[in-house]
Amino acid sequence: VEIGQHDHKFSLGGFAPDFTQSTFWVVLLYGFFINLNNFGVDQNYVQRYHTATSARQAAKSIWLCVQVYLPASLLFFVIGSALYAYYQVHPELIEAVKLKVAAERLPLSATAAQVAQAAAQLQPADYGDKVMPHFIVTKVPPGFVGLLVSAILSAAMSTISSGMNASATVFTADIYERYFRPGLDMRKTLRVLHIGTVVVGLLGMGTGIAMIGVKSVLDVWWELSGIFAAGMLGLFLLAVVSRQTRNHEALLATMIGVLVILWMTFSPSLPASLAMFRNPLHKSMIIVVGTLTIFLLGLLLTRFRQRRAGAPATAPAAFKQTVY
């Protein structure tokens, strides 16, 4: 506890209204929008709602998930802080982790001196993801190691399988059957679902291989989740809140929102001569700004059309059916 307090491991971050750094408000906004996306748009969650016997039971499952999510997240943070304190007390263990990471990054022909030199230059973000696996392998008794690995694999398999099934279902129902093969019979539909599941699985494997060597897989996952979720969440909120928005207004708002998301994502890579065009906000704000851009712009376009027409128009069913 003393080590964690000394190194600010229990801090909630700065409370200043600064959205360029990972402050309390940035994390809070990101958490709110990403969970709004998870519970409202993510097919992994939505398909589970359909297994409930009633809307009331589905709502009950949501609140139960929220209640479990908070202590589970706290447990993960406690485990991370405990590992940090343990490795601070035993610095020789962290040196072993750094040497292993350095050896993985260097060619096989590298000498011990080169590995040691590379290890000395590593930052905590370079080897943070390696600490827990190292602890499991070196400090946990063999029998418990097997149980931990089994639990991790089972949790990963259940999550990955849900994502693969959801992705294949969305592709088949919302793209293939709607635009390419309407009226597809059940046998051919299952065939497309099977092929789609295999393709999604292969893409996931390729993505995982491409992420080998990334400093923090979790940070990359959070960033990618915010980028891809912003467009869907903005369109979803627009459909739920606005009953008068038409397809072309939603499409225009989404296109502009996607452009904003692309700018916020890639503008930090602009050269120094174009530094004035870089995104000044923290990367976790992409989902916040992207979602609000699509949602608010859709409302403004709808309002502008209504004022020009002089009366509110009836919401077309096609737009709401497309979103849902």
Side-chain angles (χ1 to χ4, degrees):
V1 175
E2 293 179 358
I3 295 175
Q5 290 178 341
H6 180 269
D7 294 341
H8 307 289
K9 291 301 177 180
F10 306 128
S11 173
L12 296 177
F15 287 90
D18 183 4
F19 299 99
T20 62
Q21 302 179 25
S22 184
T23 60
F24 171 82
W25 303 110
V26 170
V27 175
L28 179 65
L29 287 172
Y30 176 86
F32 175 79
F33 277 85
I34 198 66
N35 282 289
L36 188 62
N37 172 79
N38 291 339
F39 288 105
V41 182
D42 194 332
Q43 287 295 314
N44 285 330
Y45 291 77
V46 174
Q47 289 190 8
R48 289 181 172 89
Y49 300 157
H50 289 293
T51 63
T53 57
S54 63
R56 183 176 181 180
Q57 289 295 322
K60 185 178 179 180
S61 69
I62 295 176
W63 288 111
L64 179 62
C65 182
V66 171
Q67 293 171 5
V68 174
Y69 181 82
L70 293 176
S73 299
L74 179 61
L75 177 62
F76 292 145
F77 288 129
V78 169
I79 292 174
S81 299
L83 282 174
Y84 174 83
Y86 183 82
Y87 276 76
Q88 290 297 312
V89 175
H90 301 280
E92 69 279 1
L93 297 178
I94 203 66
E95 289 300 323
V97 175
K98 293 167 67 175
L99 288 173
K100 182 175 179 58
V101 173
E104 292 175 352
R105 296 188 175 187
L106 294 176
L108 296 176
S109 58
T111 63
Q114 291 174 329
V115 173
Q117 183 179 4
Q121 298 175 353
L122 293 176
Q123 300 298 320
D126 298 323
Y127 54 84
D129 288 347
K130 306 291 185 179
V131 172
M132 188 170 186
H134 179 268
F135 179 83
I136 292 175
V137 172
T138 59
K139 297 300 178 181
V140 177
F144 287 102
V145 171
L147 291 176
L148 283 174
V149 173
S150 299
I152 293 172
L153 289 177
S154 62
M157 290 171 63
S158 65
T159 303
I160 293 173
S161 62
S162 299
M164 292 168 60
N165 292 335
S167 300
T169 301
V170 169
F171 169 77
T172 303
D174 293 344
I175 298 178
Y176 191 77
E177 289 186 350
R178 177 173 297 183
Y179 299 107
F180 296 99
R181 295 290 298 276
L184 203 64
D185 60 63
M186 183 60 66
R187 182 177 180 180
K188 293 182 179 179
T189 299
L190 288 175
R191 181 178 179 83
V192 175
L193 283 171
H194 293 159
I195 295 174
T197 303
V198 172
V199 171
V200 172
L202 293 175
L203 290 175
M205 291 173 59
T207 303
I209 294 173
M211 293 181 67
I212 294 177
V214 174
K215 288 185 177 181
S216 176
V217 176
L218 185 59
D219 287 343
V220 173
W221 167 250
W222 281 342
E223 183 176 357
L224 292 178
S225 297
I227 293 171
F228 289 110
M232 295 185 294
L233 180 59
L235 186 61
F236 176 81
L237 292 177
L238 182 61
V240 171
V241 174
S242 177
R243 301 289 180 174
Q244 291 81 33
T245 301
R246 294 180 176 177
N247 285 346
H248 66 277
E249 295 162 349
L251 178 61
L252 180 58
T254 302
M255 292 175 61
I256 296 176
V258 169
L259 291 177
V260 172
I261 294 170
L262 292 175
W263 167 72
M264 295 185 69
T265 303
F266 296 106
S267 62
S269 302
L270 292 175
S273 58
L274 300 175
M276 61 181 299
F277 297 106
R278 292 175 181 172
N279 169 30
L281 301 177
H282 190 270
K283 59 185 178 182
S284 295
M285 292 296 294
I286 294 177
I287 185 175
V288 179
V289 177
T291 298
L292 292 178
T293 299
I294 296 174
F295 175 65
L296 296 178
L297 187 58
L299 294 180
L300 288 175
L301 291 173
T302 303
R303 182 66 174 173
F304 178 73
R305 172 181 52 80
Q306 291 176 347
R307 293 189 65 177
R308 290 188 60 184
T314 303
F319 171 57
K320 299 190 71 58
Q321 290 175 357
T322 299
V323 174
Y324 287 107

